[in-house]
Amino acid sequence: MVRTLLTVLLVAAASISHASPELLFNQVIAGSGLKRPVRAGVNMFFAVSGPDFGIAKDDLFTGWTLIDAPPFKDGSAQPFEVGGRCFFRGNPMYSDGLTRLYVVDGNNALELAAATDPASAVSIHDVNGLAVFAFADSIHGMELWSSDGTPEGTGLLIDINPSGDSDPWLGAVAGGYLFFGADDGEHGRELWKTDGTVIGTTMVKDIDPGPDSSSPNHFEEVGGVVVFAASDDLAGNEPRRSDGTEVGTYLMRDLELGSSGSFPSDFRTVDVWAYFQARTAVEGTELYRTNGSVVQPIADINPTGSSYPARFHGYNGEVYFQADDGVHGSELWKTDGTLPGTQFVYDCYPGPGSGFVLELAVADGVLFFTAFDDVGPQLWRTEGTSGTTEIVEVNHNGWSNASGLISAGFDLIFGADDGTEVGHEPRRLDVAAGTITLAADLNPESGSNCEDLAAYGDDLLAIADHYWYGRDLWLYDLQAPENSIEMDETGFRESQSPPGATFAVDGDIVYFTGWQSETGFEVGAYDGADLYQVDVIPGPEGCDPTELVVANGEAFFVGLTAPEGNYGLYRLTAPPSPAAILVHEFGAVPPRDVTPFDASVVFVAQDTDHGEEIWRSTGVDLTQILLDINPGPDSSGPQALTAVGEAIFFTASEPNTGRELWVTDGTEAGTHLVEDARPGAAGSEPDHLTDGFPYLYCTAHTLATGREICRATPAGMELLDEIVPGPGSGSPRRLAFCGSRLFFSADDGAGAGREVWALDGETPTLVFDVNPGAGSSLPRDFDDHLGAVYFTADDGTSGRELWRASGTNLSNASDPIAPGPSSSRVGDRASVGNRLYFAAENEDYGREIWSVEDTGGPAWVSSPEPLAGSALRLRAGPNPFRERVQMRLEMAQAGRLRAELIDPSGRVVDQTALGRVDAGVQMLEWDVRGANKLSSGVYFLRVWSGEAAVVRKILHIR
């Protein structure tokens, strides 16, 4: 066994510590986001945006609940009432991309059919108790379907266009018939009707004779007939009516004489009149009404332009609507159908800005509506006059974003944000009392559930799950967190980062795996400005990439070579023209444990001749098995590939030695057994392999020692002092090299339980008993930040929290987030400058990103003796330096370099990998990342090459 002298200096604790944890920003305030209310029987149904764009039900007897259905893509879930039941459509996330039709069955969703076109079932109508809708399948295209609420009773009603899509545009029901526009392939898009039967589905009239289309749309029932807009060659697009017969279908009035058309729209019936807007060259787009026989102009509200009246709603014998008079912007108006009775009601957004009336509903004799004021969207109430129009205050500190208004007798039900952590949830307004209560908290979970934190320059990357956007890769602006963006906004859509997605940072470039419906699960890249998608397997199938790593400025990953095909190793070139290049194709078993190694990757792969063995690829012209450790088709099953300097250590098994520690330098000759630590076929079963440059640390088991700590170089492995002498074992776990020292958890059986241990030279030492007495704190997740060591543990009173160790000082870093026995469940961490960022949660914010400001602490600075034959000489300047340090290095042999900047207390304040350099004289430059945050003074520059290190004093000035 090889022993190398390692001198360890324990630096005394400094007074500098960490600050209290701070929330980066409350990225997600949970809410259900009610909208699109419908009443079905005694229940009310709403589309909800949280947590998964589904459907909520308000049951008269049992209260509120979310319908049990798959999570849907944004905006795709929409409820409709048919025969007292709720039907809805939705496009499930992470599925085959097909839009599905459902019916609510109790609190569950019963799937009825799947469509090939996402435009299917955007409108569902009750036709004599049947649900009738437009739907697409792979055989008939987009055609007319019907459903009785059962899967077997759901299907094609009639194939109007056997040679293509009839693409029905559904309208309104009158006289037992649903009127709609459709294209039969012969007459163009014309007027049709259906009573829900095949024989009762017929074309009403070819309004624009021949193959040209009249394109009927904007249907509304009034007085037992339908009114709508349609075009012909003579009159253009004008208001028409139909009673379901050809003779009873005709132009009511040519408002814009000639063929240019008035384009009527927004028909809405109140009492016996349907109100709408239409355009003429003289008056612009203004207010009209029809009873199905005559068309009457009402008022030219904007004499200098168009008022665009819309959102018509009846209240107390009058019609309220939105219009723009050219002075007040688009605001609330009312009419009794006459010019004198058409009046401006209220300027919600004072001045020329528009309030934009969005929804209206009447409850207990009061008209409620949503509109903007100069703050944002609000809930308003009025009794028809300016003096009775006012904001209903839901959020006293801002806008409530009210939506989903529907009357419930003496109450108004709506969704709104009250400014608390409850978010946008259903509310109940007692109209008479003026009191608002929370009807239900349908989405009680806050937080974006951040994970996979990584530094990106002066900012931060993480995967976060926000129900408005889905689970995506986010770029967090640490100077202005409110400006943080999800990468999905710049290219990908839906949830680009479902479970299994990952990313890797290489300077300014981020490589990632992501999903979208058009490409499936694929790879992409971001260069700080643009987002690039690489569709490895064209189309929606996706190559299902895994094992994404970066080596020498390019990314490597494993993916399918064809749908249902073999797996291959790919190289992904850098932006601005990223391309996936298949390096080597393997079989049905994907390569694994892809590990960057200099300008190549080392990995585990399987073929028929060698079984599962260790391989290497440069990504260009060389992919080879390094050594068939267990010769022939049997496998050695390499595991736990761990890079240390210029070698990769791993465990492997062959019949003579069992599973032992192996190493490779990337060549066949340099791939060998490190040591048969437990001679014979049983094997020492090395575990917890850890990079502790210049050593590999691990645990191994022998009959004489039990499982203990070992360290290794390519030349051999040595057992360090035992935690429990003899065959007993302290079972060391969770090994991590932090602050130039190995930390781990262990239990020596002496009554302290499983606690924090570290190596003191070659001796394992209990350094912190976090849970005093026999209880165990079960420490894990060791990591360092500028010399201070962080880990999670449970002290028996605070729950599992983040702890900070510096010298002999120990403090709880995260308990203020969830004080007392509740755990803040600290997860992934990343250092950016002087701050340590981490994911944590509490009841108020859910799981979000927090940070502590920590300028570091004393470190255990190791100074190994240079080895013979690896002399290293260093000159550094300028001295003093401001931001960049230039280094003149004399190398006796080629090697990989890394540099550290250390303050006088021994604290590592910055570090970098300088890459592999050749023997001889080399000139390198280091742009010290934290220089602008360092105080002026003396520092020490330490450069490592292999196991050799050299230190030079250097002065920093600001």
Side-chain angles (χ1 to χ4, degrees):
M1 297 186 181
V2 176
R3 288 185 180 272
T4 302
L5 177 62
L6 180 65
T7 303
V8 178
L9 173 64
L10 178 60
V11 181
S15 59
I16 299 175
S17 185
H18 65 280
S20 297
E22 299 176 15
L23 182 68
L24 179 62
F25 77 114
N26 193 8
Q27 185 176 358
V28 175
I29 298 176
S32 59
L34 264 65
K35 54 186 177 181
R36 299 177 184 151
V38 299
R39 194 183 306 276
V42 297
N43 302 320
M44 291 182 288
F45 295 87
F46 302 79
V48 290
S49 54
D52 292 310
F53 299 103
I55 299 293
K57 179 177 74 170
D58 180 11
D59 189 298
L60 180 64
F61 302 104
T62 61
W64 288 81
T65 187
L66 288 172
I67 298 301
D68 187 9
F72 296 110
K73 296 176 185 176
D74 181 10
S76 66
Q78 184 172 350
F80 298 90
E81 184 275 333
V82 176
R85 304 182 69 183
C86 178
F87 288 74
F88 68 96
R89 44 129 28 212
N91 193 341
M93 293 181 182
Y94 321 128
S95 69
D96 51 16
L98 300 182
T99 295
R100 286 165 164 79
L101 177 69
Y102 302 85
V103 67
V104 174
D105 183 12
N107 290 332
N108 300 310
L110 175 63
E111 183 178 332
L112 301 176
T116 57
D117 190 320
S120 297
V122 294
S123 179
I124 303 174
H125 295 263
D126 186 341
V127 183
N128 301 317
L130 285 175
V132 177
F133 48 93
F135 216 62
D137 65 15
S138 59
I139 298 174
H140 306 95
M142 185 72 77
E143 292 292 346
L144 198 65
W145 284 47
S146 66
S147 176
D148 63 2
T150 66
E152 58 274 13
T154 302
L156 180 71
L157 174 59
I158 186 171
D159 189 357
I160 293 174
N161 188 348
S163 62
D165 296 323
S166 70
D167 194 15
W169 294 356
L170 305 190
V173 175
Y177 285 90
L178 171 65
F179 290 78
F180 61 98
D183 184 352
D184 64 358
E186 180 181 352
H187 300 91
R189 181 172 300 282
E190 293 297 344
L191 182 64
W192 287 66
K193 69 175 182 180
T194 182
D195 63 0
T197 67
V198 175
I199 195 172
T201 305
T202 59
M203 187 172 72
V204 178
K205 185 175 182 177
D206 188 2
I207 296 173
D208 195 355
D212 292 337
S213 298
S214 67
S215 300
N217 54 41
H218 297 290
F219 296 91
E220 177 77 348
E221 186 274 338
V222 60
V225 301
V226 290
V227 292
F228 59 98
S231 299
D232 61 26
D233 289 340
L234 296 177
N237 191 293
E238 292 289 356
R240 302 169 191 266
R241 58 95 74 184
S242 178
D243 62 2
T245 67
E246 182 174 3
V247 69
T249 303
Y250 52 82
L251 172 69
M252 290 187 290
R253 183 169 176 175
D254 190 357
L255 294 175
E256 178 67 10
L257 296 177
S259 61
S260 52
S262 66
F263 294 92
S265 63
D266 292 277
F267 290 93
R268 177 67 184 271
T269 299
V270 179
D271 297 327
V272 297
W273 292 93
Y275 293 78
F276 66 99
Q277 62 170 254
R279 179 195 63 82
T280 66
V282 174
E283 294 185 338
T285 302
E286 292 296 345
L287 180 62
Y288 295 82
R289 71 175 183 176
T290 178
N291 61 4
S293 298
V294 298
V295 173
Q296 297 177 346
I298 298 175
D300 184 3
I301 295 173
N302 188 345
T304 61
S306 295
S307 68
Y308 300 107
R311 318 281 190 201
F312 304 105
H313 198 93
Y315 171 63
N316 282 351
E318 295 176 304
V319 177
Y320 287 73
F321 59 99
Q322 166 188 286
D324 183 352
D325 62 0
V327 176
H328 302 93
S330 187
E331 297 290 353
L332 185 66
W333 285 68
K334 68 177 180 179
T335 184
D336 61 3
T338 67
L339 177 59
T342 302
Q343 302 172 3
F344 176 69
V345 177
Y346 196 79
D347 194 3
C348 298
Y349 195 125
S354 294
F356 296 116
V357 177
L358 301 176
E359 297 183 57
L360 302 98
V362 176
D364 196 21
V366 177
L367 177 64
F368 294 89
F369 63 98
T370 60
F372 286 78
D373 65 358
D374 55 358
V375 176
Q378 307 280 13
L379 177 65
W380 298 74
R381 58 172 290 160
T382 185
E383 294 180 30
T385 65
S386 175
T388 59
T389 305
E390 60 184 357
I391 291 176
V392 179
E393 289 201 19
V394 181
N395 182 350
H396 299 287
N397 298 316
W399 50 272
S400 63
N401 198 19
S403 62
L405 279 59
I406 189 170
S407 172
F410 298 111
D411 299 334
L412 178 75
I413 304 296
F414 63 101
D417 187 342
D418 65 355
T420 72
E421 301 307 325
V422 173
H424 194 285
E425 291 290 357
R427 316 276 169 176
R428 180 179 293 270
L429 168 64
D430 184 324
V431 177
T435 56
I436 299 173
T437 57
L438 179 68
D441 190 357
L442 296 175
N443 187 9
E445 295 297 329
S446 297
S448 58
N449 296 310
C450 300
E451 58 186 9
D452 296 338
L453 277 63
Y456 180 62
D458 293 329
D459 295 318
L460 188 71
L461 289 168
I463 291 176
D465 190 353
H466 191 308
Y467 58 84
W468 288 106
Y469 308 111
R471 188 175 188 268
D472 294 316
L473 181 61
W474 281 73
L475 175 59
Y476 292 93
D477 185 329
L478 299 184
Q479 301 304 312
E482 66 278 3
N483 294 332
S484 301
I485 63 168
E486 52 139 3
M487 308 290 255
D488 201 7
E489 290 181 337
T490 29
F492 280 83
R493 297 182 293 278
E494 297 101 11
S495 288
Q496 75 169 41
S497 300
T502 187
F503 65 92
V505 180
D506 183 31
D508 292 334
I509 299 174
V510 183
Y511 297 96
F512 59 90
T513 62
W515 181 92
Q516 64 171 339
S517 57
E518 291 84 356
T519 65
F521 198 55
E522 287 288 5
V523 292
Y526 175 70
D527 63 4
D530 297 311
L531 196 70
Y532 303 88
Q533 177 202 342
V534 180
D535 196 5
V536 180
I537 298 178
E541 293 84 3
C543 73
D544 294 336
T546 59
E547 302 287 336
L548 178 68
V549 299
V550 173
N552 198 36
E554 294 183 317
F556 289 79
F557 65 94
V558 173
L560 289 168
T561 58
E564 310 299 328
N566 293 326
Y567 286 92
L569 177 70
Y570 289 86
R571 177 169 57 93
L572 180 61
T573 59
S577 300
I581 300 167
L582 179 62
V583 177
H584 192 90
E585 184 170 359
F586 292 90
V589 178
R592 60 176 174 82
D593 293 347
V594 179
T595 305
F597 184 63
D598 200 7
S600 66
V601 288
V602 174
F603 56 96
V604 180
Q606 176 177 309
D607 66 10
T608 56
D609 295 331
H610 307 96
E612 193 177 54
E613 296 292 349
I614 196 88
W615 291 63
R616 182 187 182 188
S617 176
T618 63
V620 180
D621 56 1
L622 181 64
T623 300
Q624 62 180 15
I625 185 169
L626 292 178
L627 185 66
D628 192 0
I629 295 172
N630 192 358
D634 292 334
S635 300
S636 69
Q639 295 177 2
L641 277 64
T642 305
V644 180
E646 297 180 342
I648 289 185
F649 292 84
F650 59 96
T651 70
S653 179
E654 56 94 8
N656 294 323
T657 64
R659 183 164 293 278
E660 290 291 354
L661 185 65
W662 288 69
V663 70
T664 183
D665 65 0
T667 67
E668 181 178 359
T671 304
H672 60 84
L673 177 69
V674 175
E675 190 159 321
D676 189 2
R678 182 177 177 178
S684 66
E685 298 287 340
D687 199 2
H688 302 288
L689 277 63
T690 302
D691 177 9
F693 182 85
Y695 296 104
L696 173 95
Y697 291 89
C698 65
T699 68
H701 184 275
T702 71
L703 292 176
T705 65
R707 182 165 293 278
E708 296 291 350
I709 299 284
C710 301
R711 69 183 180 190
T713 69
M717 184 169 73
E718 64 177 334
L719 173 70
L720 302 182
D721 294 343
E722 295 182 68
I723 298 171
V724 177
S729 175
S731 299
R733 303 171 190 161
R734 313 285 186 178
L735 277 63
F737 201 71
C738 305
S740 301
R741 201 179 191 198
L742 184 74
F743 284 80
F744 54 93
S745 78
D747 183 355
D748 64 357
R754 179 166 291 278
E755 291 295 346
V756 180
W757 289 63
L759 277 186
D760 186 1
E762 298 180 3
T763 303
T765 303
L766 174 65
V767 291
F768 295 113
D769 187 2
V770 180
N771 189 349
S776 296
S777 69
L778 303 176
R780 62 176 188 244
D781 310 319
F782 293 97
D783 202 354
D784 61 357
H785 169 77
L786 300 180
V789 177
Y790 283 84
F791 60 94
T792 65
D794 186 346
D795 66 355
T797 59
S798 304
R800 178 164 292 279
E801 297 292 349
L802 183 66
W803 291 78
R804 177 187 189 272
S806 177
T808 58
N809 289 341
L810 179 70
S811 57
N812 190 321
S814 66
D815 191 52
I817 296 172
S822 298
S823 172
S824 62
R825 295 184 62 239
V826 172
D828 294 311
R829 308 194 289 274
S831 294
V832 181
N834 287 340
R835 301 194 78 89
L836 177 70
Y837 292 86
F838 56 92
E841 66 184 59
N842 62 17
E843 186 175 351
D844 290 335
Y845 301 107
R847 191 166 191 80
E848 291 290 2
I849 296 176
W850 295 72
S851 69
V852 289
E853 183 177 8
D854 186 352
T855 55
W860 292 268
V861 181
S862 55
S863 300
E865 293 183 352
L867 299 180
S870 61
L872 176 65
R873 293 182 176 87
L874 168 67
R875 293 178 63 184
N879 194 0
F881 79 99
R882 291 184 183 275
E883 295 180 351
R884 292 177 173 83
V885 177
Q886 295 177 346
M887 292 168 280
R888 182 182 187 276
L889 290 153
E890 295 182 31
M891 302 280 295
Q893 62 185 33
R896 297 178 65 85
L897 296 178
R898 66 172 179 167
E900 295 174 330
L901 193 65
I902 304 168
D903 72 7
S905 73
R907 186 167 55 91
V908 179
V909 296
D910 206 352
Q911 56 190 349
T912 187
L914 298 173
R916 182 180 176 84
V917 298
D918 295 330
V921 177
Q922 305 291 339
M923 295 297 297
L924 301 173
E925 185 176 78
W926 179 17
D927 187 350
V928 180
R929 181 184 62 189
N932 63 339
K933 300 177 182 178
L934 299 179
S935 59
S936 298
V938 174
Y939 291 85
F940 297 93
L941 175 66
R942 179 167 62 185
V943 179
W944 298 75
S945 174
E947 298 181 46
V950 62
V951 179
R952 291 289 179 265
K953 184 183 295 185
I954 192 166
L955 180 65
H956 173 251
I957 59 174
R958 301 192 66 173

